[in-house]
Amino acid sequence: MKLYTKILIALLAGAVLGVMAKAYDVVWLRDTLLAIEPVGTAFIRLMTMIVLPLVVSSLLVGTASLGDAQRVGRVGGRTLAFSVVVTIVAACVGLAVFHVIRPGSGLDPAVRDQLAARFTGQAESAVRVQTPLVQTIVEIIPRNPFKALTDLDLLAVVFFTIVFGVATGTLSDARRAPIISFFDAVNDVSMVMIRWVMKLAPYGVFALSGAVFANFGVELLGSLLLFCVAVAAGEVVYGVGVLAIVVRALVMMNPVTFFRKIGRAPLVAFSTSSSNAALPVSIEVAETELGVSKKIAGFVLPLSATLSKSGSALYKAVAVMFIGQVYGVHLGAAQQLVIVLASTASAISGAGVPGSGMVTILIVLNAVGMSAQAQAGVALVVGVDRLLDMIRTTVNVVGQTVGVAYVARAEGERLHTAIDQRTIPVAQESRAGAVAPTASMPPVALGAQERDTTPVAR
């Protein structure tokens, strides 16, 4: 049985048992599911443990292997442009779905106040840790890169690693080779650790899903059902509809084939609610299933994990409109434009860890003049945030894999598609990175320590 099948079975089994324990008040089952939740937490910590060595090594090797700063800027520019555009589109999709469903119009005020009171403590905590957007942007530049590493400040780590990688790329081959060789070895070790940890994935996923549904069941979701439906519908329309069009038009691949190939990464994202935890798997499927080169995957995906969170932007747009509707705050066309821009900015500045959306949503509420409703608004939606976090994180990761496939195509790489296997001549790539161009394949500058990207039958 394949790993992603085991993960899916574990996820469904945990969900069914959790709902049964909550719905039928099976105390012993609920206590058991809550007692094993640390197994899931340990799984997330193990995945997170690998993130920093993987990000630093893959991003540095990818950046240095790209060669000159001009190409780094081109690849980085494409990644940034793709991330911003799809995130804006996602926020607009969220607004459109909200206006169709209008989830806040029929919510019982008594239910609203009960939910807000229940989660006031968590809301107050979110308010206290809020960081202004300008300060967030400034703090991307680390004063101490080693402190950024220990604090797991991924944006600052990515910024320093890119600068260091670009500087490494300017060195002579003799001086650059030992640095790339060392970090390439670190990357290989990280991938071995990923394979070890992923063997524990079904057990961790079962523990996480069982605890979530044992806590929330269907009772809490029932109070905010339309809000959940609006967010889920928007994520499906965007993730399956819009991104499928992008895959067909820009990646030139059958969307069904694409989604099947990357299936493991969204499953890990859904079960952990962390795009950072799913990053190692995203890199693996990009390289082995899609055929993206090591240097492009190693540069684009760590960058996308911090920049490309379109599913989160969609969620924030729907949530802010929902909060405004519940509390009677009219948000016109101008305010909705601000919501789109602020949702995009806050999604980019948010961390790829569970629950970060609860904090960054405050940026959007303040941007549209709803600071008075900010704390109560967060308290209103935080009850269902954990479940919706699973959905939006899945869409985030799908968008990131679409992005790396697009950048690889734009850079002239040949992916593992049925069309490529029929029409593209085989190009052998050495470990040194030299590619022999063919009549139908233009030469592409490739970096050191890169694997063979010859399409294979799958």
Side-chain angles (χ1 to χ4, degrees):
M1 187 182 296
K2 293 185 177 180
L3 179 60
Y4 64 80
T5 304
K6 294 180 181 178
I7 293 174
L8 184 58
I9 292 173
L11 181 67
L12 293 176
V16 169
L17 291 176
V19 169
M20 288 175 56
K22 180 71 173 178
Y24 298 104
D25 197 22
V26 185
V27 177
W28 68 266
L29 180 57
R30 182 176 183 273
D31 290 344
T32 301
L33 291 173
L34 294 178
I36 64 173
E37 185 179 10
V39 175
T41 304
F43 170 67
I44 292 180
R45 290 176 68 92
L46 284 169
M47 292 296 293
T48 307
M49 175 185 73
I50 308 171
V51 167
L52 279 179
L54 178 69
V55 166
V56 171
S57 61
S58 61
L59 191 56
L60 192 144
V61 171
T63 306
S65 298
L66 285 172
D68 58 83
Q70 182 178 358
R71 192 179 186 207
V72 173
R74 186 177 70 245
V75 174
R78 281 181 171 142
T79 304
L80 176 61
F82 181 87
S83 300
V84 171
V85 170
V86 297
T87 304
I88 290 175
V89 170
C92 292
V93 169
L95 290 181
V97 171
F98 172 85
H99 285 296
V100 172
I101 298 177
R102 297 186 60 81
S105 57
L107 188 65
D108 187 347
V111 173
R112 174 201 68 194
D113 295 338
Q114 181 182 1
L115 288 171
R118 182 176 178 181
F119 295 101
T120 295
Q122 294 183 45
E124 289 175 350
S125 176
V127 171
R128 283 196 300 270
V129 301
Q130 181 190 7
T131 302
L133 180 59
V134 174
Q135 183 180 345
T136 300
I137 295 173
V138 171
E139 288 180 353
I140 291 176
I141 306 173
R143 288 179 295 182
N144 185 342
F146 297 102
K147 186 175 186 301
L149 283 168
T150 57
D151 291 344
L152 207 63
D153 186 352
L154 202 58
L155 275 173
V157 170
V158 166
F159 179 86
F160 174 79
T161 304
I162 290 175
V163 173
F164 191 91
V166 171
T168 302
T170 63
L171 299 178
S172 64
D173 291 342
R175 302 286 288 175
R176 183 174 66 235
I179 299 175
I180 294 179
S181 179
F182 171 78
F183 282 100
D184 198 37
V186 172
N187 182 264
D188 291 341
V189 172
S190 299
M191 298 304 289
V192 171
M193 294 172 66
I194 290 166
R195 288 194 291 271
W196 289 350
V197 172
M198 285 306 296
K199 292 180 180 179
L200 304 175
Y203 309 101
V205 167
F206 174 82
L208 286 170
S209 63
V212 167
F213 285 95
N215 271 323
F216 296 150
V218 295
E219 180 181 317
L220 183 58
L221 286 177
S223 301
L224 299 169
L225 179 60
L226 285 180
F227 170 65
C228 296
V229 168
V231 173
E235 300 287 5
V236 169
V237 169
Y238 171 76
V240 178
V242 175
L243 289 182
I245 294 173
V246 174
V247 169
R248 174 66 76 181
L250 299 183
V251 184
M252 293 177 286
M253 189 172 183
N254 185 315
V256 175
T257 302
F258 181 89
F259 292 140
R260 177 180 59 81
K261 284 177 176 291
I262 68 167
R264 278 177 293 156
L267 274 175
V268 172
F270 184 80
S271 57
T272 62
S273 299
S274 172
S275 55
N276 286 349
L279 179 59
V281 184
S282 299
I283 292 177
E284 183 188 13
V285 298
E287 294 180 8
T288 61
E289 298 294 337
L290 298 179
V292 177
S293 69
K294 190 173 183 179
K295 70 179 187 307
I296 292 293
F299 178 83
V300 172
L301 278 171
L303 190 59
S304 295
T306 61
L307 295 178
S308 183
K309 292 187 281 292
S310 48
S312 296
L314 188 152
Y315 165 77
K316 296 176 205 300
V318 176
V320 171
M321 292 295 294
F322 171 70
I323 293 169
Q325 194 173 58
V326 167
Y327 287 100
V329 178
H330 175 69
L331 299 171
Q335 287 80 15
Q336 290 180 42
L337 176 60
V338 173
I339 287 174
V340 170
L341 297 177
S343 295
T344 300
S346 63
I348 290 174
S349 64
V353 295
S356 62
M358 190 175 68
V359 176
T360 55
I361 196 175
L362 294 165
I363 297 173
V364 189
L365 288 168
N366 290 330
V368 292
M370 291 179 59
S371 56
Q373 291 84 13
Q375 183 167 314
V378 170
L380 180 64
V381 300
V382 69
V384 294
D385 181 79
R386 181 66 177 87
L387 292 176
L388 296 177
D389 197 6
M390 299 164 77
I391 300 174
R392 67 177 181 261
T393 304
T394 302
V395 175
N396 288 344
V397 170
V398 172
Q400 290 159 15
T401 54
V402 172
V404 73
Y406 155 71
V407 173
R409 275 290 190 188
E411 288 295 304
E413 294 189 358
R414 307 311 195 205
L415 304 186
H416 292 170
T417 69
I419 295 175
D420 283 343
Q421 292 168 15
R422 290 194 307 267
T423 63
I424 302 298
V426 172
Q428 295 293 338
E429 182 179 339
S430 70
R431 286 289 292 174
V435 175
T438 65
S440 61
M441 187 179 89
V444 180
L446 296 170
Q449 303 297 327
E450 192 170 342
R451 58 176 175 76
D452 193 316
T453 57
T454 303
V456 296
R458 292 186 181 275

